[in-house]
Amino acid sequence: MSGVPDRRRAERQDRRLAAGRGVMAAAASAVVALGTVAGLMSTAGRGGEEGTARPEARSSPLTIPLPARPSRTPSAPEAPPAPSPPAVSATSSPKSRPAGGAGTPAAAGRLYRHPQSQVLDWVREHRDDPRRPLIESRIAAHPAAVWFPEHDPGRIAGRVRAVTSGAAASGRVPVLVPYAIPDRDCGGASRGGAPDLAAYDAWIRQFAGGLGDGPVIVVLEPDSIALADCLADDRRAARYASLARAARTLKAANPRARVYFDAGHSGWHPAAKQAAELRAAGAATSGDGIFTNVSNFHGTDEEARYARRVLDSLGGPPGLGAVIDTSRNGNGAPERGAWCDPAGRALGRTPTTGTGKARIDAYLWVKLPGESDGCRGAAGTFAPDYAYDLATG
């Protein structure tokens, strides 16, 4: 399409300029050095917001906020890693996929509280802070995803196992985010990941070795598809093939795992374009559906409509569904282009796998509320003022 490459180059330049102004200066080191952890479990719903669906055609996407900055990698006892599952062939497919239904995915259940997070640390250390009761009850009392952003072969299986074994012991469902794809963030502020796709494939096999056999939700590589336009055609195709292998590897290791592919959000690509990219990445045949709105602010109902349009265009078996990041979308999206801790935002619906909505498998807090994008505090750090504003928004 005429003008698209120039527009993409301009958008990437704008992102780099933003980083140069210091907005996201600490992001890369925070992502590479640290791993996020989750809060507590809740299945209670929050009242939804209604709104008019955005038009499908857009002149350009919004400036995209980078995914949640991991705060700390879950610790695990030092032990020899378990053998990696065997590599999955390019032609294999999941053994089975349950039929879909409103709020009844294979991983349905109460979500897991991982006992390490910045917000929990802050709550424990600030018992006399007047903001503490609200932050504790409205943020620390709900689950969020556990991120794994380091390419750490030899250690990743144990780190994943530390989370999944804790979840299994409590009878709850963990949410895991592998985040080590090569050329992550197109070399932007969250650059990093494995050195190449062969190394990534090996890392994913080790990641899969820690999944256990209980239900688990995997949010596979935020931005890896929606932000892939920066890659040359051959490199993009190679990435997509690796993502398809990753999903099959995870599901072969644990058939109860639900694996979701990156679908951006409702303010980015039109649904048909996003579905075409997802199809090229094997989302219709290798996983269980899509995820949207990671670290973004678009309203839940708007995202649900978008997700269904993407799924309709994607095709695939009837069991495919979507999960939506609702961590900061209670007041919907801010003005166009605002992405770095924008004012006036609020917590969204609390995490649950019981949405009651057709083809919407879960509302999740993938980005942990209160962890800064880089404006209210250093990128990836917990900012109590920001958390309090979200809790009272």
Side-chain angles (χ1 to χ4, degrees):
M1 182 181 299
S2 175
V4 170
D6 290 342
R7 189 187 75 209
R8 293 300 183 196
R9 282 193 290 272
E11 289 162 359
R12 291 198 296 274
Q13 181 64 19
D14 288 342
R15 289 166 62 84
R16 290 186 173 88
L17 289 174
R21 289 193 297 269
V23 172
M24 302 300 295
S29 60
V31 167
V32 172
L34 304 169
T36 215
V37 286
L40 310 176
M41 166 274 158
S42 171
T43 57
R46 179 185 176 102
E49 58 283 328
E50 293 293 338
T52 302
R54 298 288 177 88
E56 195 65 8
R58 300 169 181 86
S59 60
S60 63
L62 297 179
T63 302
I64 308 304
L66 299 173
R69 297 305 181 277
S71 58
R72 177 169 42 185
T73 300
S75 59
E78 292 297 331
S84 296
V88 179
S89 71
T91 58
S92 64
S93 60
K95 294 179 180 178
S96 63
R97 191 191 317 272
T104 58
R110 296 187 300 170
L111 296 169
Y112 174 56
R113 172 196 177 185
H114 188 68
Q116 300 173 11
S117 70
Q118 291 188 86
V119 64
L120 288 172
D121 288 345
W122 185 87
V123 165
R124 285 189 288 264
E125 295 165 5
H126 295 83
R127 304 303 299 178
D128 296 329
D129 192 299
R131 299 166 296 183
R132 191 268 307 166
L134 200 63
I135 290 173
E136 182 174 21
S137 63
R138 297 190 181 178
I139 295 178
H142 300 294
V146 184
W147 290 65
F148 298 87
E150 297 178 68
H151 177 246
D152 49 357
R155 302 178 64 192
I156 184 62
R159 289 177 169 178
V160 173
R161 192 178 302 111
V163 178
T164 58
S165 62
S170 65
R172 299 185 180 183
V173 181
V175 179
L176 311 179
V177 185
Y179 190 53
I181 197 77
D183 298 310
R184 189 172 61 199
D185 192 40
C186 293
S190 290
R191 63 188 174 274
D196 54 49
L197 289 174
Y200 179 74
D201 289 352
W203 183 83
I204 279 289
R205 290 195 293 271
Q206 293 181 28
F207 187 105
L211 287 179
D213 58 6
V216 58
I217 295 171
V218 180
V219 175
L220 180 62
E221 296 293 341
D223 283 353
S224 61
I225 298 175
L227 192 62
D229 286 351
C230 66
L231 301 176
D233 289 349
D234 58 341
R235 293 175 63 200
R236 185 165 60 251
R239 170 185 284 191
Y240 288 176
S242 182
L243 288 170
R245 288 193 298 271
R248 292 193 295 267
T249 296
L250 296 167
K251 291 185 70 64
N254 179 354
R256 299 179 73 186
R258 296 279 292 186
V259 181
Y260 296 90
F261 285 72
D262 171 38
H265 60 71
S266 59
W268 200 345
H269 300 301
K273 170 180 167 51
Q274 189 61 58
E277 299 300 308
L278 284 158
R279 194 178 305 110
T285 56
S286 301
D288 298 283
I290 63 174
F291 63 84
T292 77
N293 211 42
V294 166
S295 296
N296 220 294
F297 307 91
H298 294 271
T300 303
D301 294 326
E302 180 181 9
E303 286 300 298
R305 288 190 289 270
Y306 175 72
R308 292 190 192 101
R309 291 198 299 272
V310 173
L311 290 169
D312 287 343
S313 295
L314 178 62
L320 296 183
V323 298
I324 298 170
D325 186 354
T326 61
S327 59
R328 304 184 296 176
N329 73 344
N331 287 340
E335 64 183 49
R336 189 173 183 84
W339 60 270
C340 186
D341 304 332
R345 301 311 95 203
L347 302 174
R349 301 185 191 188
T350 50
T352 179
T353 60
T355 69
K357 302 291 186 181
R359 309 194 80 180
I360 307 301
D361 292 347
Y363 304 137
L364 304 175
W365 285 6
V366 183
K367 164 77 171 182
L368 191 60
E371 291 188 3
S372 175
D373 296 320
C375 293
R376 299 290 293 270
T381 62
F382 181 75
D385 283 343
Y386 182 37
Y388 187 78
D389 287 349
L390 289 169
T392 57

